[in-house]
Amino acid sequence: MSGFLPINRKEMLGRGWQDVDFICVTGDSYVDHPSFGAAIISRVLENEGYRVAVLSQPDWKGTDDFTQFGKPRLGFMVTSGNIDSMVAHYTAAKRLRHDDAYTAGGKAGKRPDRAVIVYSNIIKEIYPDTPVIIGGLEASLRRFAHYDYWDDAVRPSILIDSKADLLTYGMGEKQTAEIAKRLDSGESISQMRDILGTCYLCPTTETPYTGVECPSYDNVVTNKKEYAKSCRIEQDEQDHIRGRLIKQKHGKMMLVQNPPMPPLTQKELDKVYALPYMRAYHPSYESLGGVPGIREVEFSITHNRGCFGACNFCSIAFHQGRYITSRSKKSIVAEAKKLTQMPNFKGYIHDIGGPTANFRQPSCEFQLEHGLCKGKKCLAPKPCPNLIADHSEYLDILREVRELDGVKKVFIRSGIRYDYLLQDKDDTFFRELVENHVSGQLKVAPEHCSAAVLDKMGKPHIETYIEFSKRYFQYTGEVNKEQYLVPYLMSSHPGSTLDDAIELALFLKKNHIRPEQVQDFYPTPGTISTCMFYTELDPYTMEPVYVAKTEHDKALQRALLQYYNPKNQALVEEALKKAKRFDLIGFDNKCLVRPTADSKRIQQSRASGKRNNNRNNKNGNYKKGRRK
């Protein structure tokens, strides 16, 4: 137990400490593993020489948990945990979840809604003069005025509601170390207005002259076009090379986002992942059944950060950034060796991946000096001509790890960008992926088949997936294996009409794909797709975008993707009738559903009417002929 950071007063005293320098407050159960942001930040602070305690899932209905360590010497670091607390609590249909993978025993309800705001406000009431720094995904994605799906309203920056002193956005290691160093030197947190990768509030009279200004909070609340403009500015400036300072007025206060912090270098990244993580949940959770969230990552290795794929519905580009950084081969192999020495290791490394598994270097040389292109994507709708697709280094790492003593198999379970893979003229990686790194099925994310919808998603067109699928099964056959592709699909994304959903259903039928699960689009804070959902505008073109917003409209699209399920019969039939696609209701192989009794009557009536019309037309033509 001594390897874990203290999670209560008893463990703090057990280390011989009477107080601590920092208290890291998290909405997750304490898992000391580098896949958990709170674990990384707490270990980074420890490595800088500070005494750190972890306050995990404190009882927010009282103050005892928040005061048990006493007042920290330097400050509180607050996060909701690995995911937004509202996403942790509610489904895309806004229904309360029954479990929580980041809580011991999988038990739901151990963190409050809007955890960062709740925790930070409590701390400020108890210790008003103690610095509170908020970070992690919830804070990072809500740093500007943002549409909140659960309120169905635009909320101000989370800095306003939380009353925190400073916000770190992005991955946060460098910012955290800089803040800690300056607090330790005696500098007031109110003076820390120059740290990259942070946001702060100041009176409008103290607004910096540099940078670019977004439409104000008042404007984005009352005008959806202004919201869309704001979204584009926020997205376009998230580049550590060319990104500018951004300002957004909130009443008499100005929210200021400093330019992004440069990502960690390879040497710095290696150092972070070499910190002394216990790679397990705290032993106090054992009697509760452990923390389910560790199961997928316990024997996984993160080798990269960032994603230049930058899908519009994904938060990675806004949080981690589009620039790719990666760990060295030496660092990855060293971590793999650690896994083989763990007592419950069975010989299987579940993943060597990251946000996108097969990215190892920036997408092109241009961005090294100029940053990533503003308003453009590297892969969609077609790959950029400047794209450099090379899997040789990644393949070299996989080969060495799978040859380690004790390793039976190395799988790749995080996302493979198949469009990027196809750009590599050398198919060696593709072939070895199929032969050595697929655990029976490979999950990829075409998401849809309609070109119009895929353009709104920022994804490649379906022809790319079809080509990948052909080659995947070709290579699978050549090594005499029975392996499958599992496509991730999304219903009701902004831009997806009922006709688009029907097109997708027909595509699935034609290709004999029967998805077991379908994900409704979930409007999470900070993404371009969420902006489209709220404003019904594309922020890059200002053109109108169709959005299925009612629960019933979403249900119709979702049901079409599983048209074969008898439970969806009524919804599929309703959707087809609404779209006037009666040709897809029937007994023919091209049809999606068989008709119910009511449908049969309608079809018979339509057929009868059609016959009568034909007879009338024939009579009319005959008479016209005679008149001629």
Side-chain angles (χ1 to χ4, degrees), residues 256-268:
V256 180
Q257 177 195 275
N258 287 321
M261 177 68 78
L264 299 180
T265 64
Q266 185 168 90
K267 184 177 179 180
E268 290 169 335

Side-chain angles (χ1 to χ4, degrees), residues 288-338:
L288 300 173
V291 181
I294 198 174
R295 291 172 193 156
E296 280 296 310
V297 298
E298 185 176 10
F299 300 114
S300 296
I301 299 171
T302 300
H303 78 93
N304 64 4
R305 284 184 179 178
C307 181
F308 56 73
C311 300
N312 288 341
F313 52 81
C314 180
S315 62
I316 292 172
F318 197 50
H319 180 61
Q320 288 193 14
R322 294 165 61 197
Y323 190 86
I324 304 297
T325 54
S326 56
R327 295 166 61 189
S328 69
K329 175 182 174 181
K330 181 180 178 181
S331 170
I332 295 164
V333 172
E335 185 171 351
K337 288 179 179 177
K338 286 182 184 178

Side-chain angles (χ1 to χ4, degrees), residues 115-161:
V116 169
I117 293 172
V118 173
Y119 294 156
S120 184
N121 272 274
I122 292 171
I123 294 166
K124 276 298 182 184
E125 285 180 15
I126 303 169
Y127 305 112
D129 299 325
T130 300
V132 174
I133 301 98
I134 58 175
L137 199 68
E138 182 167 305
S140 187
L141 299 183
R142 295 173 179 269
R143 57 192 186 264
F144 294 100
H146 57 279
Y147 172 71
D148 184 273
Y149 175 59
W150 304 272
D151 278 358
D152 191 24
V154 177
R155 295 179 66 98
S157 165
I158 197 170
L159 262 177
I160 298 283
D161 286 338

Side-chain angles (χ1 to χ4, degrees), residues 27-29 56-57 60-61 83 85 88-89 96-112 119 285 287-293 295:
D28 291 340
S29 289
S56 170
Q57 298 187 323
W60 69 94
K61 295 170 185 176
I83 60 175
S85 58
H89 283 169
L96 200 62
R97 297 188 193 274
H98 301 298
D99 51 24
D100 185 340
Y102 295 102
T103 296
K107 186 178 179 181
K110 294 293 286 184
R111 78 187 91 208
Y119 294 156
Y285 304 136
S287 62
L288 300 173
V291 181
R295 291 172 193 156

Side-chain angles (χ1 to χ4, degrees), residues 601-619:
R601 282 194 292 272
I602 292 170
Q603 284 184 322
Q604 288 169 355
S605 175
R606 286 171 60 85
S608 175
K610 190 174 182 180
R611 285 194 296 272
N612 290 334
N613 285 336
N614 287 339
R615 279 198 294 270
N616 291 335
N617 288 337
K618 285 180 181 179
N619 291 335

Side-chain angles (χ1 to χ4, degrees), residues 22 24 41-50 52 77 176 180:
F22 287 100
C24 291
I41 293 301
S42 58
R43 288 298 184 184
V44 165
L45 286 169
E46 179 192 46
N47 188 66
E48 294 291 322
Y50 301 103
V52 183
M77 300 282 178
T176 299

Side-chain angles (χ1 to χ4, degrees), residues 168-275:
T168 67
Y169 67 93
M171 298 306 285
E173 293 97 343
K174 287 184 177 180
Q175 298 95 304
T176 299
E178 178 70 11
I179 293 165
K181 178 181 177 182
R182 288 164 68 162
L183 285 172
D184 198 22
S185 70
E187 184 175 344
S188 169
I189 197 162
S190 63
Q191 300 302 309
M192 296 183 194
R193 295 183 175 181
D194 61 335
I195 300 176
L196 298 177
T198 65
C199 299
Y200 64 89
L201 290 169
C202 66
T204 53
T205 55
E206 299 175 16
T207 302
Y209 292 110
T210 59
V212 59
E213 188 166 348
C214 287
S216 70
Y217 170 65
D218 288 340
N219 281 357
V220 300
V221 166
T222 57
N223 188 314
K224 290 185 176 181
K225 283 188 177 180
E226 293 289 279
Y227 187 100
K229 290 178 186 176
S230 181
C231 173
R232 178 166 182 172
I233 292 170
E234 293 158 19
Q235 297 286 338
D236 283 350
E237 301 302 330
Q238 300 311 310
D239 186 275
H240 73 280
I241 293 175
R242 57 164 180 76
R244 295 174 290 175
L245 177 147
I246 306 177
K247 299 166 281 191
Q248 187 177 51
K249 186 179 178 185
H250 284 63
K252 295 181 179 180
M253 300 298 288
M254 184 67 75
L255 169 73
V256 180
Q257 177 195 275
N258 287 321
M261 177 68 78
L264 299 180
T265 64
Q266 185 168 90
K267 184 177 179 180
E268 290 169 335
L269 203 55
D270 286 353
K271 184 178 178 181
V272 165
Y273 283 89
L275 295 174

